[in-house]
Amino acid sequence: MAAAFGFPLVVLLVFSLELASAFPSGAPWGQQQQQLDPHVYDRSCQQAQQIVASIVGKAHYQDPRMAASLIRLHFHDCFVKGCDASILLDSSAVVVSEKRSNPNRDSARGFEVIDEIKAALEAACPHTVSCADILALAARDSTVMTGGPGWIVPLGRRDSRDASVQGSNNDIPAPNNTLPTIITKFKLQGLDIVDLVALLGSHTIGDSRCTSFRQRLYNQTGNGLPDFTLDASYAAALRPGCPLSGGDQNLFFLDPVTPFKFDNQYYKNLLAYRGLLSSDEVLLTDSPATAELVKLYAANQDIFFQHFAQSMVKMGNISPLTGGSGEIRANCRRVNHN
Ligand code: HEM
Ligand SMILES: *[C@@H]1O[C@H](CO)[C@@H](O)[C@H](O)[C@H]1NC(C)=O
Ligand SMILES: *[C@@H]1O[C@H](CO)[C@@H](O)[C@H](O)[C@H]1NC(C)=O
């Protein structure tokens, strides 16, 4: 079965590279000693991108939610000490895993897919392709496979030798953070309001647990009332599956209209007060600047796709380890010499 979708994926990928060549790959951090470069594996592991795309394709075929989960892993990696695959480390004598943080616990998924990609890459070109680069490539391929834009992925990130569960708790925005808090957390990563609104568009696919939005259904501000910025009939439809207590892990589509299609439906939902998370809806309700972008992307999917691709490159450039820093892990779950 794998061969059946291996070929079309490679075609998609080549097509996406054409599209993306128009975009600059602007690194936000002028102080980085070394830039990432899309060609770093051209000689050392020519098959790298095809191997990633074919395993992501197989995983997507087996589980239509996986594309969303892989995009989110790259985000949760990059926001904690930069894009260094710190999120992939399991707990050990020397590591407290980020997998146990509030944003990741019972939520982050896709680790087995990354393991499978890493094993295939180690077999093809040992000690060459970093786990952090696998996350960046898998996020791009997942976007393309669900109908979103493609882009050229700058490469050459190295993998961390440690993790930060505290960074994961503090630096990744929470779904009940206020818009100013969210904007600040993005700014700390070198990301602006355009990046914020465009990147949140990936909530056009994937799922959320009840626990991530329950507060909005019952007692948003502590006055015993639901969030008035949530459409009343949508809230009523959500309540049976997300009761006041219990059902924490019950899953809901972030975009119930086209849950598996990477499109601009997310922004149309926000305009209808049908954003699932508080952190989604505040883009429309809490600042004219972000609201303008929501309206722009709802009206024009091409501009959304263009901005999303640019912002994913920007997010992927957050504080990479390069040169002699870090290592190329042999197994994405552990550092090499422990
Ligand atoms: C303000 C910033 C953000 C907040 C507060 C936020 C919050 C969340 C929450 C609460 C969930 C559901 C988790 C669960 O209940 O298990 C989620 C899912 C998701 N997020 Fe975000 N997110 C943010 C930004 C982003 C960004 C920047 C990306 C990617 C570029 C992203 C991609 C995703 C995807 C694809 C899912 C679905 C994952 C799956 O189905 O496995 N999010 N997010
Ligand atoms: C946000 O959610 C967390 C976790 O459920 C909760 O502890 C906190 O009180 C909430 N914050 C606000 C401002 O509602
Ligand atoms: C709503 O939340 C407030 C503050 O956390 C609490 O005092 C109150 O009892 C809650 N009301 C209901 C109806 O749950």
Side-chain angles (χ1 to χ4, degrees):
M1 207 59 214
F5 35 79
F7 176 68
L9 283 178
V10 170
V11 173
L12 271 176
L13 202 58
V14 170
F15 177 62
S16 72
L17 298 187
E18 306 275 19
L19 278 178
S21 54
F23 310 146
S25 58
W29 307 110
Q31 68 270 29
Q32 281 309 316
Q33 327 85 310
Q34 275 173 274
Q35 292 269 332
L36 301 178
D37 167 4
H39 299 293
V40 289
Y41 302 124
D42 283 4
R43 284 200 181 75
S44 58
C45 193
Q46 214 191 338
Q47 328 85 295
Q49 302 216 14
Q50 272 157 280
I51 289 172
V52 175
S54 92
I55 295 173
V56 171
K58 185 179 67 155
H60 171 59
Y61 175 81
Q62 290 169 347
D63 172 2
R65 182 185 173 195
M66 190 52 72
S69 304
L70 293 173
I71 293 170
R72 188 167 184 241
L73 277 189
H74 181 46
F75 161 51
H76 283 200
D77 177 31
C78 291
F79 266 57
V80 184
K81 310 190 296 102
C83 311
D84 61 357
S86 56
I87 190 175
L88 301 178
L89 292 171
D90 284 340
S91 287
S92 69
V94 293
V95 170
V96 180
S97 179
E98 292 172 19
K99 297 176 187 181
R100 63 171 66 174
S101 74
N102 297 323
N104 292 335
R105 187 168 14 90
D106 300 323
S107 182
R109 60 197 290 279
F111 300 107
E112 294 77 13
V113 176
I114 302 301
D115 290 339
E116 190 182 342
I117 295 169
K118 183 63 186 179
L121 287 171
E122 286 301 302
C125 353
H127 320 308
T128 304
V129 182
S130 69
C131 300
D133 282 347
I134 294 172
L135 287 172
L137 289 167
R140 189 272 313 274
D141 294 345
S142 294
T143 305
V144 171
M145 269 167 227
T146 46
W151 59 91
I152 292 178
V153 181
L155 298 166
R157 300 167 189 80
R158 292 165 63 83
D159 301 324
S160 72
R161 293 196 177 92
D162 57 4
S164 174
V165 73
Q166 198 185 337
S168 186
N169 280 325
N170 297 338
D171 301 345
I172 297 172
N176 64 355
N177 280 165
T178 63
L179 185 58
T181 298
I182 291 168
I183 290 172
T184 300
K185 287 181 177 179
F186 271 66
K187 206 170 203 172
L188 285 169
Q189 308 286 351
L191 300 175
D192 60 24
I193 282 176
V194 173
D195 300 314
L196 167 65
V197 180
L199 290 172
L200 270 167
S202 58
H203 287 180
T204 183
I205 55 173
D207 295 357
S208 169
R209 294 162 304 149
C210 156
T211 184
S212 300
F213 60 85
R214 171 187 286 121
Q215 186 181 357
R216 304 188 75 201
L217 303 180
Y218 301 100
N219 196 358
Q220 173 68 359
T221 55
N223 62 1
L225 294 174
D227 186 344
F228 71 95
T229 71
L230 179 63
D231 175 79
S233 64
Y234 186 32
L238 291 166
R239 276 186 204 103
C242 189
L244 197 47
S245 72
D248 282 18
Q249 312 294 321
N250 292 351
L251 292 176
F252 296 80
F253 293 131
L254 284 160
D255 167 15
V257 182
T258 54
F260 299 107
K261 188 156 175 39
F262 198 106
D263 56 14
N264 66 340
Q265 182 62 43
Y266 167 79
Y267 303 102
K268 298 177 183 173
N269 296 341
L270 298 187
L271 292 179
Y273 300 98
R274 286 169 172 257
L276 184 60
L277 308 177
S278 171
S279 50
D280 294 322
E281 200 60 57
V282 292
L283 296 179
L284 180 73
T285 59
D286 286 17
S287 139
T290 54
E292 279 314 305
L293 289 162
V294 169
K295 289 174 201 163
L296 175 67
Y297 298 153
N300 190 330
Q301 180 168 275
D302 290 342
I303 293 185
F304 163 48
F305 278 11
Q306 218 172 303
H307 287 187
F308 184 79
Q310 275 171 319
S311 294
M312 283 296 281
V313 171
K314 215 168 145 185
M315 185 178 84
N317 281 340
I318 297 172
S319 310
L321 297 172
T322 55
S325 312
E327 61 184 21
I328 306 295
R329 278 180 221 146
N331 177 331
C332 294
R333 292 176 184 267
R334 343 184 223 288
V335 298
N336 286 341
H337 298 297
N338 275 290

